[in-house]
């Protein structure tokens, strides 16, 4: 049923009786043209764009648990395209444009809310770094404003301007940045893909990747063998485990990133603010909870929980930025497993194995990338060639030296 | 010609911060008594691989003390050695210059680097000394886990510190990198406020 | 998380910083190949399970440590001074220690 | 209609007559102190309670039932529980900068002058405009917003979302910085006991008597748990008497620490726990020198989880109406607080313990309107007891609906024959069994398991070192709690090598926990709520099922079930049970939600503790700090350091004027600058030189004793890590410097190389950064100044101590010092290092010695100008993205040795001649200003990513040249000197034509520093 004001009102009168499952909970078929492993935001978006842009219909998305149970459901919901390096800029801007049209495209309100992303700076050197980044954005046609202290004060008067250890000197603002209701992204893409015939297979864990003559032929799964002409891996923190099934070692480590939400309160803050002198970023959800995050815990982990040290570090950043937070209460914190790549940038590429494609290495930037990652990965799979906007995200860039290292931290994923 | 030689007086690491007098709660006896320890001699001693026995002998000869095991502090009055890392110790002397010649004495057995001014040291004692430290030190200082002759290299309020316990009153020496002394003091003053803190003149 | 430093005893993980997998060994010397160096610098097993990894006790004794930890449960089986491990490695025949 | 008032009307003789204003307070009894009245306000209304009350008990005593409005439908809500599970009674406590939204009235201790305000309502609690949402509730079903508000697209941010945001949220946060303080404390123990009820007290006693170090925490302000709330007997003592005895003994055990008002909120790996102590929340304002709250980081070898259980509500129509309460809570208010919440209470039970409520009310002299038991068989004794209390007993019945405007006035009951009875009542006590508190044991990703015995989840595999006792483990009777607590407490102590024995279990009065859960009432009249706070009704669970959201996590996220501030403590199982019914599965097959920390919400300030405002991070001071502050310095933040930036003099009106004067003074006379912030690493040993060769990319083999050399360090991936100098003091003794920003990272890197890569090398390292105050004395008169500083006997002449000389000397009459002839400014310059305690004296001495030569102090800004004039790369260029070749340092790379980064820097993309390389730029029109961060474009090119040729990294106004200059990285820059490009800076409106030139603007041949 198409979602519309009419359908919502008429169902209200009918006791909501006629709504159908938002996506088909499919049983796997024996063979598919393309199988996407991973029913997160990226995998579901990939399936949707394969169907929509490339006319493929014999597609399955395999999810070991239930869709949206990974990072798409446990992030801080920020979207932005304020990158500084040419390898990243066109990709994230494509993603932003897709976000801007997402609701009409998939007929699902994911609450794309462009209330601005503000990155604060505290030193002249940081200011110049943001100017460099903002200028690159502007050259690519992306909105960016460099604010001084008073410009920041006009937007977020409640942060600490008077007694801060690292006084705020200004910020880089992308007004088109904002937040998106994360779960709805997975559900919306699932529903849209399902309507286009994609099989969404839940509770189906991949246990092996079958190959013949250097090409994939299908997947061993907890629900039996599933044949596939092409396989796209889109499994975030589990990327290395899947790659190991075909003896590949990836330039990736899995790390835990914690996210936090406070009790709900009446509106305090409109957009997203990122502290520049510590690890802290914050926004407020439509339900009123402050959603915030910080740095990864910093050690390899497949356990989706974090430890106290990092929690304190994040809260210290919060209090330093915004001393009015003191009496607000932390409601919940949780962890997600990030696929941290060695230069902090993702991989969307073919592999050495025919028919096997990889979408990985998103570090903690994967959510904002969801539409473009799906779009470009679908392109890569369908055409067997990279999309121009993701052309820099090659797997061999570590060998060639074409690194995309926004932070300049080098091959140390826990520092990205 | 060094014509200003008469003006060359050392400036204490705590000169701007741990001012003598009462801090925090005013009522009752102070829970914490702080004495800045200015003018000590300190040096890092790093053993040469394979020369540990020679080092131990040389230390015995100079200090009359054995080389402390990990986590140990061997003290004799104000002098002594405090373990500070694998194959590394902090040598102590009661007065600036007390460790002169240590490098030569240990040549071939250990590398010595003067740290007399690199670390700022406070002596902490009083009935609530342990309770104050508990607010910053994640190491268990309970008498069953720590005590006189023990040391820990750790952090307080994100600042690297080394603590060694001198006696079971208890009395602790707390060393911090000199440039951090001001921030460490701010923490200590806040942590001790509920117990009351008396700073005595530097000794 | 608590890590038992062989010298300092059990400490909060906040006192340590992390480097990563201890298995890849630096291809030393002028004969080393760029390919081997690439693998050493960039490629990881990223194991879900027990892993030997390098931690630095930066807020403590400044020792590098080899920690044997399960990345699924954080259970730590063993902590050794990295220098001791490295010295033992140096005395074993070349190559036999890689990916130990 | 029952109109008889119970016979416990207040007697004016007691409580100083104040009870008269508390119509629901019993005449006697309870654990409140009736001699200590406590006045407070609720929504501005002045009310009174007693010391020992919670805000909730005091409100109930005053007959206040309407306490808040729900999240979505703004339905009137009252008090459901008497504990931290409370979903409804949330208020704003205090006001102004101390306002605390969403505070559970059930946990807030009453203090004199307490100020509480209801929330999420406008204009008032009784008349809430948004209660219109309740009428629209057929539209506002779960997830309705995903299906609408999409047209037109621009309306989302402009219209729909602001409305939703304003309607959502609950309370209002404080509007100013938190004026109170917080602190941390680290505690270690053998046995941590979580919960101070009968099981926890027994565990603490058994463990504590053995001599083990025990910490007992409880979130309540009084220890005792449900023993304070029930009329029970232990060895002939009442519950509170037994508690008093146990607590007195615990307080006498020297190694036992009892922490009330302390919530164990999180379980972390390896026996680490987080708890928060509300030190001063029961007072109006924290006393002097006392924090508001204290965050405990506890490390425990063993833990006994004795956190009790939470009672389940029933799911029936209108079950959210103020006056509908948990049965256990009704008993708590009656027995502990001396409050009977209603004049005509009814009981709805599916368990024997629900009947205790009837007995307790009767014992207090109250009347009970009705008892509805969903089970058809009711023990005769219970029925008789109820009937003697005046109750109508309905066996096999179910409450299907409620009546009342802002509070309960009656219930509709379906009897066992299907008929409907309407029973007037003002309170309904629900008893539907108990859920063990399994939250904490699931923080480490463990899942609880289903128990058919109690029809609920009990702990599964517990985290290592943890055991569960009492109700938290599913042992719901008092005697089981006492027995398991004592046994497990003793065992915990034993496993920490103490000798402990569990005492004999005390005798308790008989009790029955027989229970047949009623997961939901069929065909309810009106909305039957599952999650009260988030307004999730049973019909929303049905809708989620219909739309395919059947997995637990889907159910939770789609309906928001369990995501409110109570995290579903009273709702999760109800939601699961309905989904189980809809999918035809047993409850455990539907799954369990994993509870996340914290157990109850924790103030953000408590986590931050001391680290806020100026103490967010430490501040490091340079050795010349005191002099600088006496001399009008302006500081600059560099990492944690406060570095002198410049020293304005009277009459100078802007920083540039000052910096120009400082640079000119150095270039023409002499200046003094504190460079102590650089890292200094002492490297000794037979293999020290070999070690330096491996960590540095340039060769050192020819470095002689008494000389310094520039040092370039790469990361293993071939990019530049840092640069500094290496000075050789003896054959086996070197000093390496590192940049201020990278000092710690370089030290860690060198330790890695020494300990892990090349342990066979004989190298000893220690950081001496803090030991030495180091000052640059720079300018043509530097030598003249230093001659007056160094002790006689040291020859400073150019021949004896040339450029790049290094020496150990003495100053001030025998003070050891080190002298290096290195120059960052390009002038004749020295760096002199003295022990840090002499740093202040040395600074003053050099300033004095320099007076005749016109010396001035200069700061980091002038230093930066001069290094840009010299074309030296610094932090803006050594940014982790550049190679030695990019920085025009390729020529110094060693060819005949292995070193860190050697191979990876040769990758094709890093040797691509098209890469941006370091150059100087100057404005074609010398009056124009340059800005770092500008991008370079060909003159006439349209700005685009493809046209981007590089960036300006550093700029300065050059007093030597009289115009702005810049350093930048531009494609093939080294081949393009003389070419003009645009420096494009749209974020600051800049667009300047510049000419590419040699980066060394001043004295390119380097003659001055050699002089």
């Amino acid at each position: 049923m198409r979602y519309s004001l009419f359908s919502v009102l008429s169902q209200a009168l009918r006791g909501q009786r006629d709504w159908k499952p938002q996506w088909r909970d499919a049983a796997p078929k024996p063979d598919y043209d393309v199988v996407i492993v991973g029913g997160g935001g990226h995998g579901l978006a990939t399936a949707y764009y394969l169907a929509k842009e490339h006319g493929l219909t014999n597609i399955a998305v395999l999810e070991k648990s239930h869709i949206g149970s990974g990072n798409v459901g446990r992030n801080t919901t920020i979207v932005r395209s304020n990158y500084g390096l040419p390898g990243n800029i066109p990709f994230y801007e494509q993603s932003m444009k897709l976000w801007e049209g997402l609701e009409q495209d998939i007929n699902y309100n994911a609450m794309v809310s462009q209330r601005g992303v503000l990155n604060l700076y505290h030193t002249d050197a940081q200011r110049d770094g943001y100017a460099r980044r903002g200028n690159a954005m502007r050259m690519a046609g992306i909105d960016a404003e460099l604010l001084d202290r008073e410009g920041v004060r006009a937007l977020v008067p409640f942060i600490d301007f008077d007694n801060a250890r690292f006084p705020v000197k200004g910020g880089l603002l992308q007004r088109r940045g904002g937040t998106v209701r994360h779960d709805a992204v997975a559900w919306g893409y699932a529903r849209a893909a399902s309507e286009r015939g994609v099989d969404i297979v839940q509770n189906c864990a991949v246990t092996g990747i079958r190959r013949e003559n250097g090409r994939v032929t299908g997947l061993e799964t907890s629900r039996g063998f599933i044949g596939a002409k092409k396989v796209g891996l889109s499994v975030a923190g589990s990327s290395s485990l899947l790659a190991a099934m075909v003896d590949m070692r990836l330039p990736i480590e899995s790390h835990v990133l914690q996210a936090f939400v406070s009790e709900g309160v009446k509106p305090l803050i409109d957009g997203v603010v990122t502290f520049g002198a510590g690890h802290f970023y914050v926004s407020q959800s439509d339900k009123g909870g402050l959603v915030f995050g910080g740095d990864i815990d910093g050690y390899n982990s497949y356990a989706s929980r974090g430890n106290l040290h990092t929690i304190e570090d994040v809260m210290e950043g919060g209090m330093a930025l915004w001393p009015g937070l003191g009496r607000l209460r932390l409601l919940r914190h949780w962890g997600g497993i990030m696929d941290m790549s060695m230069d902090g940038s993702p991989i969307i590429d073919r592999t050495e194995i025919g028919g096997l494609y990889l979408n990985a290495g998103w570090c903690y930037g994967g959510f904002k990338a969801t539409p473009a990652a799906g779009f470009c990965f679908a392109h890569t799979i369908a055409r067997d060639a990279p999309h121009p906007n993701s052309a820099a995200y090659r797997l061999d860039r570590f060998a060639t030296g074409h690194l995309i290292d926004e932070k300049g931290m080098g091959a140390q994923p826990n520092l990205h | 010609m060094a014509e200003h030689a008469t003006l060359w007086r050392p400036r204490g690491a705590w000169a701007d911060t741990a001012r003598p007098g009462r801090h925090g709660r005013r009522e009752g006896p102070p829970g914490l008594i702080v004495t800045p320890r200015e003018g000590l001699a300190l040096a890092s001693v790093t053993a040469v691989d394979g020369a540990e026995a020679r080092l131990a002998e040389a230390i015995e000869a100079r200090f009359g003390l054995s080389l402390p095991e990990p986590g140990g502090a061997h003290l004799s009055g104000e002098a002594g050695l405090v373990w500070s890392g694998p194959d590394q110790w902090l040598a102590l002397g009661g007065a600036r210059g007390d460790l002169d010649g240590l490098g030569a004495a240990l040549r071939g057995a250990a590398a010595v680097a003067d740290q007399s001014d690199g670390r700022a040291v406070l002596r902490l004692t009083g009935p609530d000394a342990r309770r104050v430290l508990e607010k910053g030190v994640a190491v268990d200082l309970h008498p069953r886990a720590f005590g006189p002759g023990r040391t820990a290299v750790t952090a307080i309020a994100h600042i690297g510190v080394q603590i060694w316990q001198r006696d079971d009153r208890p009395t602790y020496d707390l060393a911090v990198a000199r440039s951090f002394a001001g921030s460490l003091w701010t923490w200590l003053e806040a942590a001790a406020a509920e117990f009351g803190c008396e700073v005595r003149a530097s000794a | 998380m608590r890590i038992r430093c062989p010298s300092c005893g059990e400490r909060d993980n906040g006192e340590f910083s992390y480097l990563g997998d201890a298995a890849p060994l630096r291809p030393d010397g002028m004969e080393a190949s760029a390919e081997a160096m690439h693998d050493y610098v960039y490629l990881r097993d990223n194991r879900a399970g027990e892993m030997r990894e390098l931690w630095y006790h930066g807020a403590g004794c400044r020792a590098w440590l080899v920690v044997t930890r399960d990345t699924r449960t954080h259970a730590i089986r063993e902590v050794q001074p990295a220098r001791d491990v490295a010295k033992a490695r140096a005395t074993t025949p070349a190559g036999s220690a890689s990916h130990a | 209609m029952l109109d008889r008032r119970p016979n416990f009307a207040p007697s004016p003789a007691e409580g100083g007559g104040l009870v008269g204003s508390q119509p629901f307070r019993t005449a006697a009894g309870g654990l409140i102190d009736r001699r200590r009245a406590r006045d407070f306000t609720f929504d501005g209304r002045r009310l009174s309670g007693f010391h020992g009350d919670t805000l909730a008990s005091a409100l109930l005593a005053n007959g206040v039932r309407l306490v808040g409005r729900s999240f979505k439908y703004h339905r009137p809500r009252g008090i459901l529980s008497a504990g931290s599970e409370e979903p409804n009674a949330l208020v704003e406590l205090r006001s102004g900068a101390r306002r605390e939204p969403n505070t559970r009235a059930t946990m807030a201790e009453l203090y004199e002058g307490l100020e509480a305000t209801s929330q999420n309502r406008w204009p008032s609690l009784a008349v809430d405009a948004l209660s219109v949402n309740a009428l629209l509730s057929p539209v506002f079903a779960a997830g309705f917003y995903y299906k609408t508000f999409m047209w037109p697209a621009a309306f989302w941010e402009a219209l729909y979302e602001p409305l939703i945001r304003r309607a959502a949220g609950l309370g209002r946060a404080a509007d100013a910085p938190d004026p109170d303080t917080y602190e941390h404390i680290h505690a270690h123990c053998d046995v941590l006991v979580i919960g101070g009820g009968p099981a926890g007290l027994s565990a603490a006693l058994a463990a504590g008597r053995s001599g083990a170090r025990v910490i007992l925490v409880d979130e309540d302000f009084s220890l005792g748990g449900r023993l304070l709330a029930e009329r029970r007997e232990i060895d002939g003592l009442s519950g509170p008497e037994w508690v008093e005895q146990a607590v007195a003994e615990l307080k006498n055990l020297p190694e036992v620490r009892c922490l009330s008002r302390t919530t164990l909120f999180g379980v972390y790996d390896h026996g680490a726990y987080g708890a928060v102590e509300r030190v001063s929340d029961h007072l109006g304002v924290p006393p002097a020198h006392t924090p508001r709250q204290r965050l405990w980081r506890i490390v425990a070898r063993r833990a006994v989880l004795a956190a009790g259980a939470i009672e389940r509500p029933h799911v029936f129509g209108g079950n959210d109406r103020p006056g509908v309460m948990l049965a256990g809570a009704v008993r708590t208010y009656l027995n502990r607080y001396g409050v009977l919440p209603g004049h005509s209470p009814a009981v709805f039970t599916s368990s024997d313990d629900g009947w205790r409520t009837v007995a307790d009310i009767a014992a207090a002299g109250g009347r009970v309107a009705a008892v509805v038991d969903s089970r058809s068989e009711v023990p005769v004794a219970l029925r008789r007891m109820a009937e003697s209390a005046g109750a109508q007993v309905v066996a096999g019945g179910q409450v299907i609906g409620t009546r009342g405007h802002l509070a309960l006035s009656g219930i509709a009951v379906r009897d066992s024959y299907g008929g409907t009875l309407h029973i007037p009542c003002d309170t309904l006590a629900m008893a539907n069994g108990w859920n063990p508190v399994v939250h904490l044991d699931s923080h480490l990703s463990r899942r609880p398991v289903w128990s058919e015995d109690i029809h609920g989840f009990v702990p599964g595999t517990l985290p290592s070192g943890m055991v569960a006792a009492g109700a938290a483990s599913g042992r719901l009777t008092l005697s089981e709690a006492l027995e398991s607590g004592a046994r497990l407490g003793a065992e915990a102590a034993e496993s920490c090598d103490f000798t402990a024995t569990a005492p004999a279990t005390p005798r308790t009065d008989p009790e029955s926990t027989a229970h047949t859960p009623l997961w939901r009432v069929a065909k309810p009249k009106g909305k039957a709520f599952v999650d009260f706070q988030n307004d999730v009704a049973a019909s929303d669970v049905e809708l989620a099922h219909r739309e395919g959201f059947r997995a637990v996590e889907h159910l939770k996220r789609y309906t928001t079930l369990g995501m409110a501030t109570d995290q579903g403590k009273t709702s999760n199982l109800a939601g699961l049970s309905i989904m189980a019914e809809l999918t035809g599965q047993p409850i455990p097959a539907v799954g369990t939600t994993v509870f996340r920390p914290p157990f109850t919400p924790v103030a953000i300030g408590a986590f931050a503790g001391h680290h806020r405002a100026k103490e967010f991070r430490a501040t490091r001071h340079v050795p010349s700090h005191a002099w600088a502050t006496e001399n009008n310095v302006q500081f600059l933040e560099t990492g944690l350091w406060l570095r002198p930036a410049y020293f304005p003099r009277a009459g100078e009106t802007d920083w540039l004027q000052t910096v120009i004067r400082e640079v000119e003074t150095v270039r023409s006379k002499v200046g003094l600058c504190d460079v102590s912030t650089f890292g200094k690493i002492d490297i000794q040993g037979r293999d020290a030189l070999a070690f330096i060769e491996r960590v540095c990319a340039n060769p050192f083999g020819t470095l002689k004793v008494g000389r310094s050399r520039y040092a370039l360090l790469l990361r293993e991936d071939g990019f530049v890590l840092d640069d500094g100098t290496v000075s050789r003091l003896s054959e086996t003794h070197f000093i390496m410097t590192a940049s201020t920003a990278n000092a710690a990272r370089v030290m860690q890197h060198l330790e890695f190389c020494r300990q892990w890569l090349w342990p066979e090398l004989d190298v000893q390292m220690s950081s001496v950064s803090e030991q030495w105050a180091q000052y640059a004395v720079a300018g043509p008169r530097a030598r003249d100044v230093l001659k007056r500083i160094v002790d006689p006997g040291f020859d400073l002449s150019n021949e004896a101590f040339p450029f790049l000389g290094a020496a150990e000397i003495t100053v001030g009459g025998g003070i050891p010092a080190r002298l290096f002839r290195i120059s960052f400014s390009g002038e004749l310059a020295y760096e002199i290092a003295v022990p840090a305690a002499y740093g202040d004296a040395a600074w003053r001495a050099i300033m004095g010695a320099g007076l005749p030569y016109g010396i001035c102090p200069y700061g980091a800004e002038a230093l930066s100008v001069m290094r840009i004039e010299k074309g030296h790369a610094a932090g803006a260029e050594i940014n982790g993205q550049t190679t030695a070749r990019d920085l025009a340092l390729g020529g110094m790379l060693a060819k005949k040795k292995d070193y860190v980064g050697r191979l990876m820097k040769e990758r094709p993309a890093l040797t691509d001649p098209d890469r941006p390389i370091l150059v100087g730029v100057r404005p074609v029109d010398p009056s124009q200003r340059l800005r770092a961060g500008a991008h370079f474009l060909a003159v006439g090119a349209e700005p685009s990513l493809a046209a981007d040729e590089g960036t300006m990294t550093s700029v300065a106004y050059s007093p030597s040249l009289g115009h702005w200059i810049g350093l930048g990285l531009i494609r093939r820059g080294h081949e393009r000197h003389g070419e003009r490009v645009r420096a494009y800076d749209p974020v600051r409106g800049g667009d300047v034509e510049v000419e590419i030139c040699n980066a060394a603007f001043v004295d390119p041949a380097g003659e001055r520093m050699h002089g």
Side-chain angles (χ1 to χ4, degrees), chain A residues 240 249 254 300 302 307 414, chain C residues 1 18 42 45-46 69 71:
Chain A
S240 298
R249 297 172 79 220
S254 295
N300 282 26
Y302 286 91
N307 275 294
N414 55 327
Chain C
M1 191 151 85
Y18 184 77
Y42 290 110
D45 287 340
N46 194 20
R69 184 179 63 100
T71 57

Side-chain angles (χ1 to χ4, degrees), chain B:
Chain B
M1 202 30 223
E3 59 226 69
H4 298 277
T6 51
L7 298 175
W8 290 69
R9 290 207 192 89
R11 182 182 175 88
W14 305 100
D16 299 324
T17 50
R19 295 214 165 79
R22 187 70 187 252
H23 302 256
R25 181 173 60 85
R26 301 252 152 212
E27 305 77 39
L32 179 73
I33 296 158
V34 178
T35 312
R37 303 285 298 149
E38 305 281 12
L40 300 176
L42 303 167
S44 62
V45 174
T46 311
V48 169
D49 272 6
E52 291 83 359
R54 275 178 51 212
L55 175 61
E57 265 172 48
I59 291 294
E60 175 79 42
R62 181 160 176 133
F63 293 89
L65 296 168
S66 62
L67 212 46
E69 67 293 354
H74 292 180
L75 305 171
S76 164
E78 296 296 333
L81 281 122
V82 182
W83 178 90
S84 62
D87 304 319
Q88 203 164 72
W89 294 266
L90 191 64
L92 309 176
R96 180 177 290 280
D98 277 6
L99 297 175
D100 288 356
L102 183 63
L106 301 183
R107 183 154 297 135
V112 174
D114 189 5
Q115 300 285 7
S116 302
D117 299 318
R119 312 282 167 83
V121 182
L122 291 175
R123 183 155 296 168
L124 310 178
T125 190
D128 295 309
R130 178 153 71 89
R131 292 177 67 192
V132 172
L133 285 174
E134 265 188 343
K135 296 187 188 183
V137 180
V139 175
D140 190 359
L141 298 178
H142 188 277
R144 291 182 193 168
F146 202 81
R150 301 295 301 163
T151 185
V153 187
T154 181
I156 288 177
H158 305 322
I159 300 168
V161 297
Q162 178 153 17
I163 297 167
W164 55 95
Q165 189 171 341
R166 297 184 56 84
D167 59 43
D168 55 14
R169 298 170 53 196
T171 302
Y172 304 93
D173 279 357
L174 173 66
V176 61
R178 185 186 187 92
S179 69
F180 287 98
S183 287
L184 195 279
W185 170 253
T186 308
W187 171 83
L188 184 68
E189 195 180 11
E194 67 168 305
F195 307 109
C197 167
E198 183 183 315
V199 178
R200 300 206 168 142
S202 174

